[in-house]
Amino acid sequence: MNTTRKPALLSTKAVVGAIIVALCKTTTLAMETPTNTTTPVCDNDEELFQLRLITGENSWSGAPVSHRVITESTGDLHDECIGCRHDIPGADIQLCLPKNQCHTVLVGRLIGRWNSCFNGGVEELQVIWAGETIRSNNAYLFERVDFGEGCQIDSCDPDNELEFEFFLDRRQDSSYPNPFAWNLAEVATDESFLQGQAPYNESSFIYEKACVPRSSCLEFYMGYPSNTTSGFYDPSPYSIRLDGVIYDEHELRFGTDLFSGPDKLDQTVNLGDCSVETLCNATTEDLFRMEFTTEALVECFASANNDYNYSSSISSSDMRFWLQDIDEEDFASSYVWSADYEDFEVDRKYAFMSCIPNDRCAQFFFATDNQVASYSLYQNGVELTQRSIQTDSFEGLTLTNAGVCAPAPTLSLTLERVLVASVTVLSLLNMFW
């Protein structure tokens, strides 16, 4: 089955103030590698763009990958392929593009992340512009790379707005209910910033973005109709980001009659600048928030080959953490745990927030020997600074208590500086009274 390419002009459209860059244009799954055989000769006002999707031996050779190359300002769709297979040696997409504009390449890997370092074999992405490699990743899942001389201007107002992004790579399956829809809204006002739905019974690579107020507390909903009864299972990978911070990234794992538990038809992710009063029932709940940044350099400590010295991702099994009530033993009952993520990109910030009962004791465990540059935990906006290294049955883990068991509130550094400054000013005033 051959892949149909569609170099074309497409117009972006506004949906409640959000720009939907990807219009969900689809092609059929490809059995042939979409590789250019000759390098094009570019005009003086153009540069050569290359997207290399390298496939080596001992990997998931030919794993379906979607890509799209666009120029948002003009609405140009330069190249697109949905669910394309890239057998050894892979793909080398080459295009001549205007050098003075800002272009974007979007990439999604349909069957999840392959860590070339950890698993062995090569599955690597390289983005090359004007002969310079501007992005490489040997464990990619979703990528967005902007390039060109016209990329100096932010798409959102940097002083007042943040950029929200949603990726979804979805295969054609007639068993999927219709529709699969999503909505991003402000929690306090229910104002919608973007909404949409996937095309029915078509393979689609979806990318949406929206500029949202920097002070927003947001709720992102995605799912199938609640009255769905037909049997299906949807493992499509997705990623939800705000200002480059990943709040959720995994497979949907939506379906009915699931072996692992009850039916799951939808999911809600909270993100942004939320308070316990805005997001939770402040009478009965606390707001727990986690933030961490992964290390920039992670060695290939378990590499099955000699192709790489460093990895572009960290396995979730090497970043063990979870938050659950003290009397719960099943990880499935955790508010969050590391397996909720499709591994972790290096040098990337992650965040999570959830309302938890304020009359129950919760515990957050993090591997003591972890691969994060830093991590912070907050309850109702106050940082939880307790770090108790465990030596019992939880040896190798560091504990922070939350919920009703959280230590007495301590001042955050920012608040402490404000109060110290205030006391200093009052002392100076008293000298003149």
Side-chain angles (χ1 to χ4, degrees):
M1 184 160 51
N2 293 325
T3 300
T4 303
R5 290 190 170 279
K6 297 184 178 180
L9 296 180
L10 295 179
S11 298
T12 56
K13 61 180 181 178
V15 177
V16 197
I19 297 176
I20 301 183
V21 176
L23 300 181
C24 305
K25 294 295 179 182
T26 62
T27 62
T28 55
L29 286 175
M31 299 301 293
E32 297 180 0
T33 302
T35 304
N36 290 6
T37 56
T38 59
T39 299
V41 177
C42 302
D43 293 336
N44 291 335
D45 60 350
E46 297 177 325
E47 294 286 5
L48 178 63
F49 164 81
Q50 292 176 270
L51 172 63
R52 291 179 178 171
L53 302 169
I54 302 168
T55 303
E57 296 181 359
N58 303 318
S59 66
W60 286 349
S61 180
V65 177
S66 300
H67 76 265
R68 182 177 293 120
V69 184
I70 61 173
T71 302
E72 181 182 346
S73 61
T74 61
D76 288 359
L77 171 63
H78 302 286
D79 197 79
E80 179 183 62
C81 204
I82 309 299
C84 294
R85 298 183 62 88
H86 302 303
D87 296 318
I88 297 172
D92 187 4
I93 296 94
Q94 303 182 40
L95 302 167
C96 289
L97 300 174
K99 63 172 66 175
N100 64 347
Q101 296 179 356
C102 183
H103 314 287
T104 300
V105 58
L106 302 164
V107 181
R109 201 168 183 281
L110 183 61
I111 59 174
R113 193 190 304 272
W114 174 272
N115 188 326
S116 300
C117 254
F118 186 82
N119 298 111
V122 177
E123 290 275 344
E124 183 175 4
L125 170 148
Q126 294 178 354
V127 178
I128 302 169
W129 174 246
E132 179 184 355
T133 300
I134 57 177
R135 178 64 172 160
S136 61
N137 191 325
N138 60 29
Y140 68 95
L141 179 61
F142 290 106
E143 287 285 350
R144 168 197 157 184
V145 181
D146 299 325
F147 57 95
E149 295 176 1
C151 292
Q152 284 75 24
I153 301 175
D154 293 321
S155 58
C156 300
D157 179 350
D159 295 326
N160 300 303
E161 295 178 321
L162 299 175
E163 185 176 67
F164 169 85
E165 298 176 282
F166 172 51
F167 295 82
L168 179 69
D169 203 355
R170 194 165 181 262
R171 74 176 73 231
Q172 177 182 0
D173 193 322
S174 60
S175 71
Y176 292 170
N178 188 43
F180 178 87
W182 56 86
N183 182 58
L184 175 70
E186 167 69 56
V187 172
T189 64
D190 229 12
E191 176 187 358
S192 179
F193 296 108
L194 71 80
Q195 53 189 317
Q197 64 183 54
Y200 178 62
N201 200 22
E202 293 182 18
S203 297
S204 55
F205 177 38
I206 293 165
Y207 173 75
E208 298 210 43
K209 68 175 185 176
C211 295
V212 299
R214 185 173 286 272
S215 59
S216 294
C217 176
L218 302 167
E219 177 180 271
F220 183 74
Y221 166 87
M222 57 182 177
Y224 290 101
S226 58
N227 60 354
T228 298
T229 57
S230 58
F232 79 99
Y233 179 66
D234 184 355
S236 301
Y238 67 92
S239 184
I240 298 168
R241 308 176 181 188
L242 183 65
D243 197 30
V245 179
I246 295 178
Y247 278 79
D248 200 8
E249 186 173 80
H250 205 264
E251 298 173 351
L252 289 177
R253 297 183 180 178
F254 288 0
T256 55
D257 299 324
L258 300 178
F259 175 78
S260 59
D263 296 354
K264 182 180 180 183
L265 299 175
D266 55 24
Q267 183 173 330
T268 299
V269 178
N270 293 113
L271 57 166
D273 185 12
C274 299
S275 66
V276 63
E277 293 81 10
T278 302
L279 188 60
C280 310
N281 181 338
T283 304
T284 60
E285 295 176 317
D286 289 320
L287 177 60
F288 178 90
R289 181 181 178 93
M290 168 188 72
E291 298 175 353
F292 64 85
T293 301
T294 53
E295 292 181 349
L297 295 176
V298 176
E299 294 185 359
C300 292
F301 58 91
S303 178
N305 57 50
N306 297 316
D307 293 301
Y308 301 104
N309 293 320
Y310 294 95
S311 175
S312 297
S313 77
I314 304 166
S315 170
S316 58
S317 62
D318 295 318
M319 283 275 291
R320 292 181 302 151
F321 62 80
W322 68 89
L323 172 70
Q324 63 183 174
D325 292 330
I326 195 171
D327 54 350
E328 295 286 353
E329 297 181 358
D330 184 5
F331 279 117
S333 64
S334 299
Y335 299 103
V336 64
W337 66 310
S338 50
D340 288 334
Y341 295 83
E342 186 75 6
D343 294 339
F344 302 91
E345 291 185 15
V346 299
D347 196 24
R348 172 73 78 166
K349 186 173 181 178
Y350 289 78
F352 166 83
M353 68 177 72
S354 176
C355 299
I356 62 175
N358 62 14
D359 61 348
R360 302 185 69 178
C361 185
Q363 294 181 312
F364 180 84
F365 288 98
F366 206 136
T368 304
D369 184 14
N370 57 60
Q371 293 175 306
V372 298
S374 62
Y375 77 94
S376 302
L377 307 173
Y378 302 89
Q379 184 163 298
N380 301 336
V382 177
E383 185 169 3
L384 301 175
T385 57
Q386 174 201 10
R387 301 290 187 270
S388 299
I389 298 176
Q390 304 298 286
T391 57
D392 51 13
S393 58
F394 292 102
E395 185 175 359
L397 299 169
T398 297
L399 166 68
T400 301
N401 287 313
V404 72
C405 291
T410 56
L411 295 176
S412 67
L413 292 178
T414 301
L415 181 57
E416 185 175 4
R417 292 189 183 111
V418 170
L419 290 179
V420 169
S422 299
V423 171
T424 302
V425 171
L426 289 175
S427 298
L428 289 174
L429 290 174
N430 287 334
M431 293 175 60
F432 296 96
W433 288 351

